[in-house]
Amino acid sequence: MPDTMLPSGTDTVELTRALVRCESVTPREAGALELLEKVLTPLGFRCERMDFTEKGTDDVANLYARVGQDKNGNGKHFCFAGHSDVVPVGDLSSWTIGPFAAELSAGYLFGRGAADMKGAIAAFTEASARFLKKRGPNFGGAISLLITGDEEGPAINGTTKMLKRLAERGEKIDACVVGEPTSSKKFGDMMKIGRRGSMTVDLVVRGVQGHVGYPERLDNAVHRISAIIEALVREPIDQGSTHFQPTSLQFTTVDVGNSATNIAPGVVKARFNTRFNDLWTSQKLLAHLKERIEQANAKLGGNGTVEYAKVEVSGESFYTQPGPLVELVAGAIESVTGGKPELSTTGGTSDARFIARYCPVLEFGLVGESMHKVDEKTGVADLKSLAQVYEAVLDRFFAA
Ligand SMILES: [Zn+2]
């Protein structure tokens, strides 16, 4: 777009619309980061693209923008983190408004990424712009935007690598807010101070294939997996912890592929995913689940085996103790909405799980009700409120 058509950094609504018009379905950049760079640079941000490639994965564009002191300064460094990529539109014919048209209607801004989470990126920008206008570039610290194009994808070439690069060159972050759409029903009603971990396990269960008429000569793998499923789901894994729901385990598929009516299958493949709380590490949990599986398998007798074909941990759980950062952000929210946010650890994973290894982090953003759905939308008033909350966060964090 010609620079004369650039949205202003202090107009969250127009900047969100411009970002939504970039069709940055993961892992495509589609001009979203380029646009952001053009808006942030005049505000004083030093913009740096951190694009990563790795064999066997998609190339990903990321943007790191920083204003204020450089890494050798003594001031504190506050980071806003987020993602410019969006999930696919899904069934296009179900959308009542073009997913990338960024239309305003009935007080809402519609479009893929409006809630998750281009609106928050625009709000980071407006909040920073307003803060810098008040305090000037020498406010005694640093503000950064860490924006990845790989959150909705495999998250290999995004936030993790950016954080690693920053750490390698001695750039420390003191606190971070991720702009995921954490509000539940009403803007400001919820923030996330942790997330459950996620692990997916592929099982291959083997018995002995045989003629159904000769049960003494076979070892039905379907019966084995049934016993294993029972052993995993009948008893709860835990009762939850102070801040987390109980760990959940869901089988997502059980595949036999047997079309014969007279053959008992000898092999079954199955997959389950577990969302686990802070009582576990993925390693501890896997050991516990294996114990249940092996016990159930042994109980059936015979020589049936269970193979753990693949174990994929997409994130450990993380939790930020209620403390200075949580209080600061909750206070900023209350100053804008008049209400206290619930401190929650529910929902899927987010990049906060990577950031938690480096500094205190929490998540706060728009109402997430429509995220990943058709007709994704966000309230226009909410966008403005979000920019105010983020500005209040900066004011409080860098209180003179
Ligand atoms: Zn998101």
Side-chain angles (χ1 to χ4, degrees):
M1 90 176 47
D3 286 4
T4 47
M5 285 172 64
L6 269 184
S8 141
T10 51
D11 189 338
T12 295
V13 178
E14 282 311 310
L15 181 53
T16 304
R17 296 181 75 192
L19 287 168
V20 168
R21 288 188 197 109
C22 303
E23 301 187 19
S24 54
V25 173
T26 195
R28 291 186 56 220
E29 187 270 337
L33 295 180
E34 215 173 296
L35 165 68
L36 199 57
E37 208 172 321
K38 282 188 185 151
V39 174
L40 289 171
T41 303
L43 299 175
F45 280 90
R46 298 178 296 279
C47 293
E48 179 182 351
R49 282 283 287 271
M50 289 192 185
D51 299 357
F52 294 106
T53 54
E54 186 175 311
K55 222 176 150 206
T57 64
D58 291 311
D59 296 357
V60 173
N62 306 287
L63 176 68
Y64 178 67
R66 177 174 171 140
V67 66
Q69 289 180 350
D70 66 13
K71 71 178 169 76
N72 300 316
N74 304 319
K76 292 188 291 183
H77 174 188
F78 186 89
C79 175
F80 286 119
H83 61 89
S84 58
D85 60 331
V86 297
V87 293
V89 298
D91 180 17
L92 186 59
S93 65
S94 305
W95 285 73
T96 57
I97 287 183
F100 301 107
E103 280 179 41
L104 299 173
S105 172
Y108 288 97
L109 193 173
F110 285 85
R112 178 55 86 228
D116 184 15
M117 52 162 279
K118 288 174 171 174
I121 295 175
F124 294 161
T125 306
E126 175 172 340
S128 305
R130 292 196 184 284
F131 175 83
L132 289 166
K133 203 168 170 210
K134 282 182 292 198
R135 300 278 299 267
N138 302 316
F139 58 89
I143 302 167
S144 66
L145 267 63
L146 189 146
I147 310 295
T148 177
D150 183 25
E151 199 271 348
E152 303 289 8
I156 292 168
N157 289 318
T159 301
T160 23
K161 286 190 179 169
M162 296 177 81
L163 291 167
K164 196 162 160 265
R165 178 168 294 180
L166 293 180
E168 277 166 4
R169 68 189 193 198
E171 203 163 334
K172 207 176 143 287
I173 299 171
D174 295 297
C176 179
V177 167
V178 181
E180 287 293 337
T182 59
S183 295
S184 172
K185 295 203 161 52
K186 208 175 93 209
F187 176 76
D189 63 357
M190 186 182 282
M191 61 190 215
K192 309 260 171 157
I193 57 168
R195 296 266 189 167
R196 290 173 297 177
S198 173
M199 175 168 67
T200 301
V201 179
D202 286 6
L203 300 175
V204 181
V205 177
R206 290 195 171 82
V208 178
Q209 180 184 313
H211 191 297
V212 292
Y214 299 89
E216 67 281 4
R217 297 184 194 162
L218 61 83
D219 182 344
N220 193 326
V222 171
H223 298 181
R224 282 202 179 266
I225 190 69
S226 307
I228 288 168
I229 292 173
E230 182 69 5
L232 290 178
V233 305
R234 190 185 42 221
E235 294 290 330
I237 293 169
D238 56 52
Q239 306 295 333
S241 65
T242 320
H243 301 280
F244 283 82
Q245 298 169 296
T247 294
S248 82
L249 186 150
Q250 296 294 324
F251 271 82
T252 53
T253 188
V254 176
D255 302 312
V256 189
N258 176 23
S259 56
T261 56
N262 58 357
I263 292 176
V267 185
V268 176
K269 293 181 179 174
R271 171 179 293 162
F272 65 82
N273 174 272
T274 170
R275 298 297 166 108
F276 55 96
N277 58 36
D278 60 342
L279 296 172
W280 306 93
T281 62
S282 59
Q283 222 179 356
K284 246 175 71 188
L285 178 60
L286 183 62
H288 172 73
L289 298 177
K290 278 184 176 175
E291 207 174 293
R292 285 194 184 191
I293 290 170
E294 301 304 337
Q295 261 178 19
N297 188 50
K299 233 173 164 177
L300 294 172
N303 298 315
T305 59
V306 181
E307 183 195 329
Y308 302 88
K310 195 174 170 198
V311 175
E312 202 175 88
V313 179
S314 51
E316 299 289 337
S317 72
F318 86 89
Y319 174 65
T320 297
Q321 287 285 351
L325 180 64
V326 173
E327 270 165 41
L328 185 150
V329 177
I333 294 168
E334 197 178 356
S335 75
V336 173
T337 66
K340 280 194 191 352
E342 182 189 333
L343 310 182
S344 166
T345 58
T346 57
T349 62
S350 83
D351 275 3
R353 67 190 190 268
F354 304 127
I355 300 167
R357 295 179 204 151
Y358 294 87
C359 69
V361 59
L362 56 82
E363 303 169 52
F364 177 69
L366 297 161
V367 176
E369 202 277 324
S370 66
M371 64 194 279
H372 295 208
K373 294 184 179 173
V374 300
D375 285 349
E376 179 176 343
K377 67 177 191 294
T378 185
V380 170
D382 292 354
L383 283 171
K384 293 177 181 162
S385 300
L386 184 59
Q388 285 172 12
V389 169
Y390 290 154
E391 186 185 348
V393 167
L394 292 176
D395 286 341
R396 286 160 191 239
F397 190 78
F398 293 109

